[in-house]
Amino acid sequence: MSLRIVVTVKYVPDATGDRHFADDLTVDRDDVDGLLSELDEYAVEQALQIAEAADDADVTVVTVGPEDAKDALRKALSMGADKAVHVEDDDLHGTDALGTSLVLAKAVEKAGYDLVISGMASTDGTMGVVPALLAERLGVPQVTLLSEVTVEGGIVKGRRDGDSATEQLEASLPAVVSVTDQSGEARYPSFKGIMAAKKKPVEAWDLSDLDLEAGQVGLEGSYTTVDSAAERPARTAGTIVKDEGEGGKQLAEFLASQKFI
Amino acid sequence: MAEVLVYVDHVDGAVRKPTLELLTLARRIGEPVAVALGAGAADTAAVLGAHGAVKVLTHDASEYADYLVVPKVDALQAAVEAVSPAAVLVPSSAEGKEIAARLALRIGSGIITDAVDLEAGDTGPVATQSVFAASFTTKSRVSQGTPVITVKPNSAAVEAAPATPAVSELSVAFSAQATGTKVTGRTPRESTGRPELTEAAIVVSGGRGVNGSENFAIIEALADSLGAAVGASRAAVDAGWYPHTNQVGQTGKSVSPQLYIANGISGAIQHRAGMQTSKTIVAVNKDAEAPIFDLVDYGVVGDLFDVVPALTQEINTRKG
């Protein structure tokens, strides 16, 4: 039987750009170029490796986001994913993590899955909670923050490097997995992959396709409210000295003046 | 007075510092009620009481160690049902955020992660967050349900507030999902004798300029002279010079110490995301144009192989 792998990916503002908030205190997505969240590339890579090791598997990438988010899907398809789903709806604007997990859970169920793979966090919100929320909503095991992952005989196994210990984990499929940037370098799309991606199917779903209503998502359905967002004041210029043999001593002097030594 | 649940992060009864910080923050909102789970849970009561916990709810079962995350969510949910708190505070570790998220979903509440400050507001706690690689500061509230908030280490000073907590056992019924993900092996991290990276008051980091794992010895020597934790940039970790658990940055750990010393680190946005909120920032780098110098309170343009050992020696001399 075919192993159905769904990868959830996010289209995010480029972190090297000048990121801002819009007037409604949501992330301004018009001001900065977007791209596939770097941390999701690792999820696509692991999905492809698991699919390649299986007898029969297919990889579907799913994203929730505006029109431009198709770019993130194209990137994943050009890496080697088989097909894509784009959930797009004007009412999704301002959706929080809980709402995102609701939309993703519905989309993943509609797509059909044995294994969901996500990145460890998005590079914009950086909450890192969507994989756990997805597992809770789907009622399947969460096998998250893996630096190594394998799937064999309906069992997913992985290694999780925690703060105080490294753990070996194991769960039966279906399951939700998330992988860290230590799981293995993501492949670059080949020219052939880029050309092939143009012909791969991208399904477009809106809220009604997922039996969801506007009030359940977006700013209206959000469980949190942002009251203010202020740019951090620029740091006052510090003292910079050139080392001409005394740099270490000068630095010690500074640390002593600040009572660190 | 309203009660505030505080999830206790401990290892065999030894409470970690971020939990004590949470007790300080919890007292701004109400009376702290601590929830300690797993082996050694009952041993936490004295230190939690010394920091203001009026009640300590404990529960020990093998499920907490044998299965991932969900048993702890079940227990925290039981505590919410028993206490009806004004808020639930959880340390912002990777696991803490996962526990908090699942709890919030179950109890129909909003969640805020990685708060760096917390105040009582007219309609519940107001959380300060530092976002977009610490270039923006936001203030947010949970608008539905019991606020579930995770707080970053070093967000508050630990304050003693002696209380004599009522210690009682929490009654927990594990859910069907509790045993879904089995922990089949656990290798505790070997202690380096240095403070935990995210909790340390001083962090000394090395990057590409350190140029080899063997050279990290000079970074460690500086750290030891200051009683500091050792961090590494992604470049140094990807090169295999230092373990990933010590990585500071967007894909590693976020640190906010009193003093951060960056050695041979250029200061790419991904690294800045993990250390920009440090109170005092110092850098040593050969390249006068390195972006890290835009952040520093004090910078030395020079070869770290000259400057760092000289600094270490000077510190050790001054300490006598």
Side-chain angles (χ1 to χ4, degrees), chain B residues 180-262:
Chain B
T181 307
K182 198 168 184 177
V183 179
T184 55
R186 177 178 286 117
T187 316
R189 197 162 311 295
E190 253 176 67
S191 171
T192 58
R194 299 190 182 95
E196 167 67 26
L197 184 57
T198 52
E199 300 170 15
I202 303 178
V203 174
V204 176
S205 283
R208 199 187 297 275
V210 175
N211 201 24
S213 55
E214 66 284 1
N215 299 331
F216 257 87
I218 69 167
I219 303 297
E220 290 176 335
L222 174 58
D224 291 344
S225 74
L226 291 163
V230 177
S233 73
R234 182 163 179 185
V237 169
D238 282 352
W241 302 339
Y242 223 68
H244 178 247
T245 43
N246 295 70
Q247 184 176 317
V248 172
Q250 187 164 51
T251 59
K253 295 205 167 117
S254 167
V255 300
S256 195
Q258 295 299 319
L259 171 64
Y260 188 83
I261 306 182

Side-chain angles (χ1 to χ4, degrees), chain A residues 42 136 162 227 232 253, chain B residues 102 139 141 189 234 318:
Chain A
Y42 297 96
E136 177 75 32
D227 288 330
R232 191 181 165 87
E253 199 57 49
Chain B
R102 295 186 73 138
K139 287 191 186 291
R141 285 173 294 120
R189 197 162 311 295
R234 182 163 179 185
R318 282 171 189 248

Side-chain angles (χ1 to χ4, degrees), chain A residues 159-211:
Chain A
R159 191 183 88 197
R160 172 169 164 127
D161 296 319
D163 280 346
S164 55
T166 291
E167 293 168 330
Q168 302 293 333
L169 304 177
E170 192 176 306
S172 297
L173 300 184
V176 173
V177 160
S178 77
V179 296
T180 73
D181 61 330
Q182 299 299 298
S183 58
E185 208 52 43
R187 68 192 66 184
Y188 286 104
S190 62
F191 179 70
K192 207 174 129 203
I194 293 167
M195 297 312 288
K198 294 182 178 172
K199 298 197 183 95
K200 288 177 179 172
V202 178
E203 282 202 56
W205 294 344
D206 62 15
L207 288 178
S208 65
D209 291 315
L210 300 177
D211 297 322

